Amino acid sequence: MKLMRLGAPGEEVLAVRADDGRMHALSDLAADIDGVFLASGGIGRAREALAAGTRPVLDPLGPWPVNTATPAGVALGLPDTPYLRAGDVVELSIDGLGTQRQSFANA
């Protein structure tokens, strides 16, 4: 079980990913996944709701965007600090979609 927020900041949908990989809505069980949720037995409630089969299943491709960005300070483009080197392999997996694997070589 994995707790998550899906969507743009401020518009998140609370969700839980079950052991079978399906994502289920949690928004009606909690206002947020925060200290109050954790301290008030939220994880137990989420587990019980999953076990009861009462959680709506969410579309893994849902209306939430996949945000990609390079945060400041990762050394991208700095001299003598290559971001990727020949032989590096980058792999991206998205549940419900698949996996992409890219091997890098010198240009």
Side-chain angles (χ1 to χ4, degrees):
M1 181 174 91
K2 179 178 180 181
L3 301 171
M4 60 186 79
R5 293 182 190 104
L6 304 171
E11 300 174 14
E12 297 98 343
V13 173
L14 300 182
V16 58
R17 190 175 77 189
D19 293 337
D20 64 4
R22 294 187 304 165
M23 293 185 296
H24 301 267
L26 277 185
S27 296
D28 62 326
L29 290 180
D32 196 2
I33 300 169
D34 56 8
V36 173
F37 174 81
L38 298 173
S40 67
I43 292 175
R45 287 194 311 277
R47 276 199 179 108
E48 289 171 7
L50 278 176
T54 60
R55 301 287 81 219
V57 176
L58 297 173
D59 181 351
L61 302 178
W64 34 85
V66 176
N67 297 321
T68 60
T70 302
V74 296
L76 182 60
L78 293 179
D80 302 318
T81 311
Y83 188 67
L84 294 167
R85 295 176 178 86
D88 285 349
V89 177
V90 175
E91 187 172 291
L92 170 71
S93 295
I94 299 177
D95 292 342
L97 287 179
T99 300
Q100 178 180 346
R101 185 179 176 99
Q102 182 68 49
S103 299
F104 290 84
N106 287 328

